[in-house]
Amino acid sequence: MPILINLDLILEEKGMQSNELAAKIGITTANLSILKTGKAKAVRFSTLEAICEALNCQPGDILAYQP
Amino acid sequence: MNKNSLLSIVNFFCNFFKLLIGILIIAITIAFIHFQFDRDFYNEWSMEKPENDSVIRFETEAFLGQNAQDFEKLKVTEWKTISLYFTYFKFTATLILFFLAIHQFGKVLQSVRRLKTFKAINVCAFRKIGHYCLGIAVLSFFNYWNFEKYTKSSIAAPLDVILIALIAFILAEIFKEGNTLMEENQLTV
């Protein structure tokens, strides 16, 4: 899929662990792993909003389009 | 009646029919083998003249004698070997395919009871049911009865079985679509 998830980079930048983020935004670590590995078929706006709020970033920082 | 009790009843009937078919196959095989060794035992046994009720059919009938009424009842001992073997293997194969189709349907019911309805295994099960029904249709296509004084052969398209096969293939496609939607839903974060 040409949509890349840069969640790992942002997490490293912010110095946050995956399980910490999962707990903050209220999703399971398994689901967060699906998102990080690019296996997710869709992302809810509510999840994206929670991630942006927790990491203090914009959706464009997490998602990137690579043709 | 709630969903589970309905499924339980249908599941019971599936198992009942599987048992019945199993017993029938064993009984027919025993009778078939016994018939080879002791034909005289079946002297009193007779059967109705074979009929085909398919809408699309072509049949030929021939008999030795004056009156067609004499052949309403056919003596089992007058059954010619080739026709007997053909009918036995055809009937047994049909029963086995019925058994397998019911078994697959039972598996679908089990998964619905476990709330795992739209799994890939059910798509596969419906496809198998469709193939088994097509197998039954192919087996039912040609019939050949040959007795000492009576012969009948027919070619018939069993539309009811073909229709069931078609429905099974359509259900397989519907379940495939359901499986795709379920996977997408599971992979939505």
Side-chain angles (χ1 to χ4, degrees):
Chain A
M1 202 156 43
I3 299 290
L4 298 175
I5 311 287
N6 297 321
L7 204 54
D8 271 332
L9 290 172
I10 307 289
L11 278 171
E12 206 179 310
E13 237 176 60
K14 306 283 174 180
M16 197 187 280
Q17 296 290 316
S18 291
N19 48 3
E20 197 184 332
L21 176 68
K24 259 189 176 175
I25 63 176
I27 65 167
T28 61
T29 45
N31 269 350
L32 190 65
S33 173
I34 288 171
L35 184 62
K36 275 168 61 184
T37 51
K39 285 179 187 167
K41 298 230 175 181
V43 184
R44 289 190 190 94
F45 277 136
S46 56
T47 310
L48 197 58
E49 186 187 327
I51 292 170
C52 290
E53 197 183 330
L55 295 172
N56 192 25
C57 65
Q58 292 296 313
D61 299 333
I62 303 163
L63 305 172
Y65 174 67
Q66 194 183 57
Chain B
M1 187 184 285
N2 66 31
K3 185 174 144 189
N4 269 347
S5 57
L6 177 68
L7 290 175
S8 299
I9 291 167
V10 179
N11 196 42
F12 168 78
F13 276 107
C14 277
N15 288 330
F16 175 72
F17 281 122
K18 271 163 68 181
L19 182 74
L20 206 68
I21 290 169
I23 292 168
L24 198 60
I25 291 170
I26 294 166
I28 287 170
T29 306
I30 291 169
F32 176 72
I33 294 166
H34 185 247
F35 187 76
Q36 315 294 315
F37 295 105
D38 188 10
R39 276 200 175 216
D40 295 337
F41 180 81
Y42 299 91
N43 270 341
E44 300 301 315
W45 290 40
S46 60
M47 57 183 271
E48 295 282 328
K49 202 166 83 172
E51 295 293 341
N52 202 322
D53 55 358
S54 177
V55 181
I56 303 168
R57 68 176 190 270
F58 173 76
E59 52 191 28
T60 57
E61 197 177 31
F63 50 86
L64 286 174
Q66 300 291 316
N67 200 348
Q69 303 291 323
D70 298 340
F71 300 102
E72 287 304 317
K73 291 272 183 186
L74 298 164
K75 280 192 140 190
V76 174
T77 46
E78 290 178 358
W79 208 335
K80 291 275 183 72
T81 311
I82 294 172
S83 169
L84 177 71
Y85 271 69
F86 175 77
T87 307
Y88 167 74
F89 285 116
K90 197 186 89 164
F91 192 59
T92 312
T94 305
L95 285 177
I96 290 168
L97 288 175
F98 260 123
F99 182 91
L100 293 171
I102 292 172
H103 179 68
Q104 291 299 327
F105 187 65
K107 275 166 73 175
V108 174
L109 288 180
Q110 291 285 346
S111 70
V112 174
R113 284 174 80 184
R114 280 191 236 114
L115 302 174
K116 291 177 178 172
T117 311
F118 294 108
K119 291 279 174 183
I121 195 165
N122 285 346
V123 178
C124 196
F126 274 115
R127 281 205 185 121
K128 278 183 183 172
I129 291 171
H131 286 125
Y132 294 146
C133 288
L134 281 183
I136 292 167
V138 169
L139 285 170
S140 313
F141 185 70
F142 181 68
N143 296 300
Y144 174 62
W145 292 279
N146 190 6
F147 291 78
E148 275 177 22
K149 291 174 184 170
Y150 177 84
T151 305
K152 183 177 182 177
S153 53
S154 69
I155 293 169
L159 296 178
D160 44 357
V161 185
I162 293 169
L163 187 70
I164 293 170
L166 198 66
I167 290 169
F169 285 127
I170 291 168
L171 280 173
E173 287 307 308
I174 291 168
F175 271 66
K176 190 179 160 192
E177 194 63 36
N179 181 249
T180 310
L181 289 172
M182 190 202 71
E183 279 178 358
E184 267 181 21
N185 189 44
Q186 277 179 346
L187 293 172
T188 298
V189 181

